[in-house]
Amino acid sequence: MQLRKLLLPGLLSVTLLSGCSLFSGEEDVVKMSPLPTVENQFTPSTAWSTSVGDGIGDFYSNLHPAFADSVIYAADRKGTVKAVNADDGKEVWSVNLAEKDGWFSRKPALLSGGLTVAGGHVYVGSEKAQVYALNSSDGSIAWQTTVAGESLSRPVVSDGLVLIHTSNGQLQALNEADGLVKWTVNLDMPALSLRGESAPATAFGAAIVGGDNGRVSAVLMQQGQMIWQQRISQATGSTEIDRLSDVDTTPVIVNGVVYTLAYNGNLTALDLRSGQIMWKRELGSVNDFIVEGNRIYMVDQNDRLLALSTEGGVTLWTQSDLLHRLLTSPALYNGSLVVGDSEGYMHWIDPDNGRFVAQQKVDSSGFLTDPVVADGKLLIQAKDGTLYAITR
């Protein structure tokens, strides 16, 4: 169990907790694996880097950048949102969403989740239950809406709606044009959950989303009507941590199959139409995963990297040399599987066999948020706010 990630400030969200022990003893203490020795088969290079505010510090966050039309958009937790040129990292515009608090100070906006770009707007949510739509041309606010709770996941735009999954278990649809709330669906909340929410995936007019109660739900987007629910994780174990059953990863939909992943649960393939389980594997994670061709690439809750078959979830390879290094979600870039870690290293892996092909130290503050592939570059934002564009 990846308790070092669990203990990062803000990752555990307690709705109601009394008279119980979270940790059972010394067996829960984990140790970060030493840095593996890698003989680089190529040398990744930093094309450019730029500062985006103050970053996220030590607070657990998935505030990663977005990309559209040769412009990269990134933000820090306090409220800075920047647009930079994808070619050279030079600033296009910058705005500060922090509220003025007197003459010389501001209250931080506490931006969270990831940024989304669609239809001429940049969308971002906050821990203060605010969702912003910024004009992508200059960063001005097109609209701002108060939602049902902390907006911790990436906004998802589809069918004229902006879908927001809040920390208190509500899935809300906002009108893309003006931000008005169109409908709200209650996904239920357990007493204790991980801090973070599943961003919905959309297909055929439905939103598929994971919940903190171990279920995956399909919701008809135009009406906000529940189509089906399927449990993929059951709360079991002797401690509260063992019984965490959150589905915080974003589902992946391919050819009528919904692939989902829970913490302390299962990697599960569901039929898109009915929600029926096609197969499942006892694997857990809070990191988003990749489905590419007939393979699934994932980082599990102990920071093992795995490749599995989409037919039955058969393990094809496992890479266990990065245990408990607090890895980011993986990205596929120029023929390599790439992850960052909490010490600021980037690890490049052959997706065919799981062997290391390159390693580089990029940033001293470390990485927590997902790498993003954009315009032929790999983007990753460090905890101190530095945004890097990496090439190979």
Side-chain angles (χ1 to χ4, degrees), residues 111-131:
L111 301 181
S112 55
L115 279 69
T116 298
V117 188
H121 290 151
V122 181
Y123 299 93
V124 64
S126 82
E127 297 163 33
K128 293 183 175 182
Q130 299 297 305
V131 174

Side-chain angles (χ1 to χ4, degrees), residues 365-376:
S365 69
F367 300 115
L368 283 177
T369 63
D370 302 352
V372 175
V373 178
D375 200 36

Side-chain angles (χ1 to χ4, degrees), residues 32 46 49 57-58 325 341-346 360-368 380-388:
M32 181 182 291
T46 299
S49 64
D58 290 325
R325 294 189 65 85
D341 72 21
S342 61
E343 292 192 330
Y345 286 90
M346 300 289 288
Q360 63 181 144
K361 179 66 178 277
V362 177
D363 185 274
S364 58
S365 69
F367 300 115
L368 283 177
I380 191 164
Q381 191 169 351
K383 290 194 291 183
D384 67 1
T386 307
L387 176 65
Y388 294 90

Side-chain angles (χ1 to χ4, degrees), residues 283-310:
L283 292 165
S285 184
V286 294
N287 287 322
D288 282 345
F289 57 98
I290 298 168
V291 180
E292 179 75 14
N294 60 358
R295 289 191 173 194
I296 301 168
Y297 300 102
M298 61 169 284
V299 174
D300 77 3
Q301 65 215 86
N302 294 305
D303 289 322
R304 293 182 183 89
L305 282 93
L306 299 100
L308 306 106
S309 169
T310 55

Side-chain angles (χ1 to χ4, degrees), residues 10 28 57 65 77 98 130 161 172 188 214 243 292 331 349 353 387:
D28 288 327
R77 186 167 178 256
Q130 299 297 305
L161 301 174
Q172 293 194 290
D188 296 329
R243 291 193 287 273
E292 179 75 14
I349 293 151
N353 53 35
L387 176 65

Side-chain angles (χ1 to χ4, degrees), residues 14-244:
V14 181
T15 305
L16 175 64
L17 184 63
S18 62
C20 59
S21 172
L22 294 182
F23 310 108
S24 58
E26 292 181 1
E27 67 272 16
D28 288 327
V29 177
V30 295
K31 195 172 185 179
M32 181 182 291
S33 290
L35 188 71
T37 301
V38 176
E39 184 176 340
N40 281 6
Q41 297 180 19
F42 55 85
T43 304
S45 60
T46 299
W48 53 259
S49 64
T50 187
S51 176
V52 181
D54 295 325
I56 61 171
D58 290 325
F59 195 89
Y60 184 80
S61 173
N62 197 22
L63 193 62
H64 53 273
F67 167 79
D69 300 324
S70 300
V71 178
I72 295 162
Y73 304 89
D76 78 347
R77 186 167 178 256
K78 288 184 178 180
T80 298
V81 182
K82 275 189 178 183
V84 300
N85 188 289
D87 291 330
D88 53 20
K90 291 185 177 179
E91 183 179 305
V92 178
W93 53 255
S94 177
V95 297
N96 191 346
L97 299 178
E99 302 172 18
K100 289 185 178 179
D101 184 25
W103 288 100
F104 303 107
S105 62
R106 286 177 175 264
K107 292 181 180 178
L110 303 184
L111 301 181
S112 55
L115 279 69
T116 298
V117 188
H121 290 151
V122 181
Y123 299 93
V124 64
S126 82
E127 297 163 33
K128 293 183 175 182
Q130 299 297 305
V131 174
Y132 302 88
L134 309 180
N135 292 308
S136 58
S137 58
D138 59 8
S140 59
I141 297 176
W143 52 257
Q144 177 181 348
T145 294
T146 300
V147 290
E150 294 175 289
S151 176
L152 300 180
S153 67
R154 174 179 57 88
V156 172
V157 182
S158 181
D159 291 23
L161 301 174
V162 181
L163 302 175
I164 303 294
H165 188 184
T166 64
S167 63
N168 55 355
Q170 310 298 309
L171 179 65
Q172 293 194 290
L174 314 182
N175 189 300
E176 185 179 358
D178 55 20
L180 293 178
V181 178
K182 186 171 182 180
W183 51 255
T184 301
V185 173
N186 184 4
L187 301 177
D188 296 329
M189 281 288 294
L192 182 72
S193 69
L194 294 170
R195 185 170 176 78
E197 301 298 341
S198 166
T202 61
F204 303 107
I208 315 296
V209 63
D212 293 338
N213 56 7
R215 293 186 178 95
V216 177
S217 302
V219 178
L220 200 59
M221 278 194 290
Q222 289 306 314
Q223 289 81 12
Q225 178 182 346
M226 189 76 71
I227 305 171
W228 53 256
Q229 277 193 328
Q230 181 63 258
R231 180 177 290 280
I232 69 165
S233 178
Q234 190 74 42
T236 59
S238 58
T239 70
E240 293 294 327
I241 297 296
D242 291 333
R243 291 193 287 273
L244 290 169

